[in-house]
Amino acid sequence: MTTLTRQDLNFGQVVADILCEFLEVAIHLILYVREVYPSGIFQKRKKYNVPVQMSCHPELNQYIQDTLHCVKPLIEKNDAEKVVVVIMDKEHHPVERFVFEMSQPPLLSISSDTLLSHVEQLLRAFILKISVCDAVLNNNPPGCSFTVLVHTRDAATRNMEKVQVIKDFPWIVADEQEVHMQEPRLIPLKTMTSDIVKMQLYVEERAQKT
Amino acid sequence: MDELYLDNIDEFVNDHDKIVTYKWLSLTLGVHVNTAKQMLYHYLDHKRKESSDPLHATYLVSGKFVDNGQTSHKVSVVKEDQLEDVKSKMSLIVSVHVYSVQKALLKDSGPLYGVDYDAVKDNLKNCSRYSAIRCASAVPRSSVELQQARHTQPAPAPEPEHKKSTTNGDATPASKPSTKPQKSIMGMFANKSALKNQDSGKEVKSEQKEDAPVVDEPKSKPAAKANPMMNFFGTQAAKKTVKQEEAAPSSSSSSAEQRRPSSQPEETHAAAAAAAAAAVEPPKNSKKDSRSKTKRMEDSDSEEEKMDKKKRRRIKKPEPDSSDEDVIPDSPQQMETREASPSPKEEVEPVSQSHQGNCEMKTRKRRRVLKSRTFVDDEGCIVTEKGYESESYSEAEDDVPKDPIPAKRPASSKPDEKKSQKKASANSNKGTKQASIMGFFQKK
């Protein structure tokens, strides 16, 4: 039995790694399922022992990786309250927002050998849920693009602006237009609770998309 | 059976938005699989008559299929709109039944696998409790036999590539630590997984269901495989194989999801070709987890690539029973193109793999290594392709340029022409990340 606390062995880093990997897979899957990009650029890969669709396009992959690389320090310190994948139409009005709300218990300690496989199982359920989410969502108009927003607690972003984690990849404060959506409809997708993180995924959808 | 099951299924499908496969249903409700199939059928029928809620279903079709004069038994999971089409292509239909019911229109077959994964994992010891496939002589091996099986596996590895089957066992050091725990349970699935792994190996990252049949392609030496295949036939693994196989052809026959088939001939050919292509994958790891149907080991060696292509083509998949999939297509050409598309996908750190392969293979044969070449194609686009190159880089004669997806890309309406194959870095990132996290916890 191992008991790790947050201070031990950069436990926060481990959790951040797990979550960022998951977010990467989830973002790719959202792009695939919501048809933001043509399905031709995706190919099947494996994660958590199930097939997932990941993009092959190098620039897209790099963008997503850079984004998550910058988000990781926030997650490590438990400053990231929400990570939102916003899908916008041609006029840059959001049509859908996939919100990943996450929180870590303050006294992180794990004392279970099966923790990792349990977390894997929960994340697998998330992936499955994203795959079938188009049952509850209306179709998007063509020509959509996406962006990633991070809502942080307190003023953690001040640090982000001072220190560019990745060169030439600045983060800016999001416009009101991107953050708020008209007439949103809330559709919860999945919730998970585990020893290391509590996460919730829901979708805000604009009532009229076209 | 009482009518409660209709309400149960209704709850699963509509309230929970689940994908209800027959296998999941049988394990959840504790009924025989055939009963589950009938339940799904009745539910579908009932719902379609009474309301207009869109319900989508996938079907499993199995039967004899004639392709270029070759008869094979094909098992496919198809979407409803392709059902009639596939049925008409078969020369003799052995069985058709509902595979799954869900509210969402699935774009690819991935979630179907995910649905069953957890259900089967929870019932690992008796997941064939409700199965219709039986073999009286199929009993789990005792631990003594397992040990013996494991000891004999590494022994043939030093042999020349002819006996490819167990070579993958030696490749295990390269595999992720996750395969280790699989050994114990999967010892008896060892050879089976080799076949599966082939399949999985084929699609680099894509552990496709469709790969399953491909795996069965004689990538590895069929002779060596024949026996283990026989052993597995009656066991639970067989059930999985069947499922895998069905998944595999079904994926190929199901429409959108594969990019690969975009340039390929129709589904039937694609299925056959895919099988051949899939065979490219070396019998990945006999020890690998055969349970995952579309098991695609990330660190599939390039060993199979080192194998003689010609030899691979001729290898006939051992067909212990009619329930297996397609026969290898005869035309090497098809193989070639097919290989091209899966092999570029199968990326997995070719260089490091070749090193591993080198240590194990003590022959003097020139190895073929999957390398990336970046060049400007005739459309003025920068394309990165993977091709087989001889390891010593002495000659380029063996470099077989593949025309994988990028070549097909221009045909589609993709605006951005700049495509590169799956990046090693992304994969390796995932691979190493996984390994590091697992290792982190195992350290304790």
Side-chain angles (χ1 to χ4, degrees):
Chain A
M1 285 301 216
T2 63
T3 309
L4 297 176
T5 60
R6 194 183 269 284
Q7 290 75 31
D8 289 351
L9 304 153
N10 293 324
F11 189 68
Q13 263 186 13
V14 172
V15 175
D17 276 343
I18 297 177
L19 285 176
C20 284
E21 271 184 13
F22 165 71
L23 284 173
E24 188 174 356
V25 172
I27 293 177
H28 281 264
L29 198 57
I30 290 173
L31 295 178
Y32 174 76
V33 172
R34 301 312 292 152
E35 291 171 347
V36 177
Y37 293 117
S39 57
I41 66 166
F42 294 93
Q43 74 181 147
K44 274 202 191 184
R45 306 223 314 239
K46 182 175 72 142
K47 185 70 180 173
Y48 311 127
N49 283 328
V50 288
V52 296
Q53 296 278 354
M54 300 277 289
S55 131
C56 286
H57 195 286
E59 286 180 11
L60 175 63
N61 290 356
Q62 192 62 41
Y63 173 77
I64 294 177
Q65 276 178 5
D66 286 345
T67 306
L68 291 172
H69 190 78
C70 296
V71 172
K72 199 187 284 198
L74 293 174
I75 297 182
E76 264 177 53
K77 302 196 203 72
N78 198 16
D79 277 334
E81 185 191 11
K82 289 195 252 194
V83 175
V84 185
V85 180
V86 184
I87 297 179
M88 301 179 291
D89 62 10
K90 287 196 199 103
E91 291 92 30
H92 293 283
H93 295 301
V95 289
E96 271 176 12
R97 291 159 45 96
F98 283 79
V99 183
F100 293 86
E101 262 187 33
M102 54 190 83
S103 73
Q104 297 168 32
L107 286 173
L108 262 181
S109 74
I110 60 166
S111 53
S112 160
D113 287 336
T114 58
L115 174 72
L116 207 61
S117 62
H118 182 59
V119 169
E120 191 178 289
Q121 186 172 7
L122 295 171
L123 294 177
R124 210 170 18 238
F126 265 87
I127 304 264
L128 194 58
K129 208 61 192 197
I130 296 176
S131 309
V132 298
C133 70
D134 51 351
V136 291
L137 297 173
N138 296 327
N139 284 338
N140 285 336
C144 283
S145 62
F146 83 105
T147 183
V148 179
L149 309 176
V150 179
H151 296 239
T152 61
R153 294 180 224 279
D154 305 335
T157 48
R158 263 193 257 129
N159 283 338
M160 278 187 85
E161 281 163 13
K162 276 193 235 157
V163 178
Q164 265 190 5
V165 180
I166 296 182
K167 205 170 175 338
D168 294 333
F169 199 82
W171 283 73
I172 55 174
V173 177
D175 300 337
E176 274 307 297
Q177 176 187 280
E178 285 171 9
V179 174
H180 287 120
M181 208 157 65
Q182 299 164 337
E183 311 164 344
R185 217 167 47 114
L186 187 72
I187 299 140
L189 283 188
K190 196 96 180 88
T191 313
M192 76 171 242
T193 311
S194 78
D195 287 341
I196 57 170
V197 69
K198 277 199 233 192
M199 185 150 60
Q200 209 190 157
L201 169 61
Y202 56 89
V203 185
E204 286 173 23
E205 188 190 15
R206 198 165 76 187
Q208 273 154 344
K209 285 189 172 173
T210 46
Chain B
M1 54 192 157
D2 52 33
E3 298 302 304
L4 279 179
Y5 71 86
L6 282 180
D7 292 333
N8 282 342
I9 301 178
D10 198 32
E11 190 191 325
F12 294 137
V13 171
N14 281 323
D15 297 342
H16 300 165
D17 277 340
K18 280 187 183 308
I19 302 175
V20 181
T21 62
Y22 74 91
K23 187 190 267 197
W24 183 87
L25 192 67
S26 95
L27 285 172
T28 308
L29 296 184
V31 293
H32 194 265
V33 287
N34 289 338
T35 317
K37 294 172 197 169
Q38 283 170 355
M39 285 180 182
L40 282 179
Y41 176 74
H42 284 137
Y43 172 75
L44 207 57
D45 209 31
H46 189 252
K47 270 293 166 180
R48 291 240 166 107
K49 278 189 206 131
E50 69 168 36
S51 79
S52 62
D53 278 347
L55 274 185
H56 296 101
T58 59
Y59 291 85
L60 185 126
V61 182
S62 87
K64 292 229 177 305
F65 178 73
V66 180
D67 173 28
N68 293 338
Q70 292 240 350
T71 314
S72 57
H73 190 107
K74 186 155 101 149
V75 183
S76 336
V77 174
V78 298
K79 288 198 232 184
E80 203 164 6
D81 43 2
Q82 298 161 326
L83 178 62
E84 292 307 319
D85 191 36
V86 173
K87 267 163 77 167
S88 63
K89 291 204 179 113
M90 300 235 178
S91 59
L92 166 70
I93 295 178
V94 171
S95 86
V96 179
H97 65 78
V98 179
Y99 187 88
S100 78
V101 174
Q102 63 273 346
K103 238 173 37 168
L105 178 64
L106 291 182
K107 291 192 181 57
D108 74 342
S109 61
L112 290 175
Y113 175 74
V115 165
D116 292 333
Y117 181 86
D118 280 318
V120 171
K121 196 159 104 150
D122 291 336
N123 292 315
L124 190 54
K125 291 273 170 348
N126 54 3
C127 56
S128 66
R129 187 176 1 145
Y130 302 113
S131 157
I133 302 174
R134 296 249 176 270
C135 172
S137 61
V139 291
R141 286 196 199 169
S142 70
S143 55
V144 174
E145 288 172 359
L146 277 180
Q147 292 287 336
Q148 288 174 351
R150 264 184 235 135
H151 287 314
T152 54
Q153 285 262 352
E159 288 177 25
E161 283 109 50
H162 301 292
K163 303 288 175 199
K164 238 350 165 140
S165 56
T166 56
T167 312
N168 289 330
D170 268 1
T172 328
S175 64
K176 294 187 248 190
S178 56
T179 60
K180 296 282 167 56
Q182 314 298 1
K183 264 194 190 187
S184 50
I185 307 175
M186 297 305 147
M188 70 162 148
F189 297 112
N191 294 323
K192 183 71 161 354
S193 53
L195 288 181
K196 283 197 201 199
N197 287 328
Q198 281 179 333
D199 171 22
S200 59
K202 162 117 186 95
E203 297 283 355
V204 176
K205 290 327 179 212
S206 49
E207 39 192 60
Q208 273 325 101
K209 287 190 196 162
E210 54 191 70
D211 285 335
V214 176
V215 163
D216 294 324
E217 284 301 314
K219 238 350 175 161
S220 56
K221 308 322 175 187
K225 292 271 168 230
N227 261 343
M229 202 44 203
M230 284 302 193
N231 286 342
F232 291 118
F233 181 62
T235 64
Q236 301 178 2
K239 194 164 72 109
K240 293 209 180 348
T241 320
V242 174
K243 196 150 169 70
Q244 213 170 351
E245 292 165 358
E246 66 195 346
S250 67
S251 348
S252 20
S253 52
S254 66
S255 52
E257 107 211 34
Q258 268 314 313
R259 328 200 270 136
R260 210 170 2 123
S262 62
S263 63
Q264 296 300 333
E266 266 331 75
E267 281 154 340
T268 57
H269 288 289
V280 175
E281 186 51 354
K284 186 47 195 194
N285 263 312
S286 47
K287 309 290 190 307
K288 289 231 175 115
D289 184 5
S290 61
R291 275 198 57 239
S292 62
K293 301 188 200 129
T294 60
K295 190 82 174 144
R296 186 69 240 93
M297 286 317 202
E298 293 225 357
D299 53 327
S300 61
D301 313 305
S302 50
E303 278 182 68
E304 82 178 83
E305 303 153 22
K306 295 172 192 146
M307 277 169 54
D308 188 1
K309 274 193 193 175
K310 260 213 169 320
K311 211 185 267 185
R312 268 180 284 178
R313 287 198 199 119
R314 296 223 192 85
I315 294 171
K316 224 177 154 21
K317 182 181 65 131
E319 294 262 348
D321 199 60
S322 61
S323 66
D324 293 345
E325 354 1 283
D326 312 330
V327 175
I328 301 164
D330 275 339
S331 72
Q333 204 129 10
Q334 240 179 347
M335 272 276 274
E336 181 98 352
T337 41
R338 262 299 156 198
E339 257 178 7
S341 51
S343 45
K345 282 188 194 175
E346 157 203 23
E347 184 263 294
V348 193
E349 302 154 18
V351 179
S352 56
Q353 285 306 331
S354 64
H355 285 317
Q356 305 268 4
N358 280 344
C359 312
E360 294 153 21
M361 324 253 276
K362 310 261 197 289
T363 68
R364 282 178 285 121
K365 281 197 184 168
R366 189 182 46 203
R367 319 227 181 288
R368 288 218 199 116
V369 180
L370 197 57
K371 295 282 179 222
S372 297
R373 300 182 306 125
T374 309
F375 62 95
V376 179
D377 72 2
D378 51 7
E379 305 226 349
C381 315
I382 299 177
V383 171
T384 303
E385 286 179 353
K386 301 222 178 199
Y388 290 115
E389 292 178 356
S390 64
E391 196 182 302
S392 58
Y393 294 101
S394 52
E395 264 124 1
E397 58 174 287
D398 252 67
D399 190 334
V400 182
K402 313 286 183 184
D403 62 50
I405 305 90
K408 278 101 171 149
R409 258 327 112 208
S412 74
S413 59
K414 267 191 63 65
D416 191 352
E417 294 290 325
K418 189 167 173 187
K419 255 184 105 57
S420 67
Q421 297 301 336
K422 150 185 358 165
K423 298 198 86 139
S425 63
N427 288 340
S428 54
N429 260 353
K430 282 219 170 317
T432 53
K433 263 193 177 168
Q434 278 264 339
S436 70
I437 287 181
M438 285 301 292
F440 178 80
F441 281 103
Q442 277 171 8
K443 256 192 293 188
K444 313 240 102 201

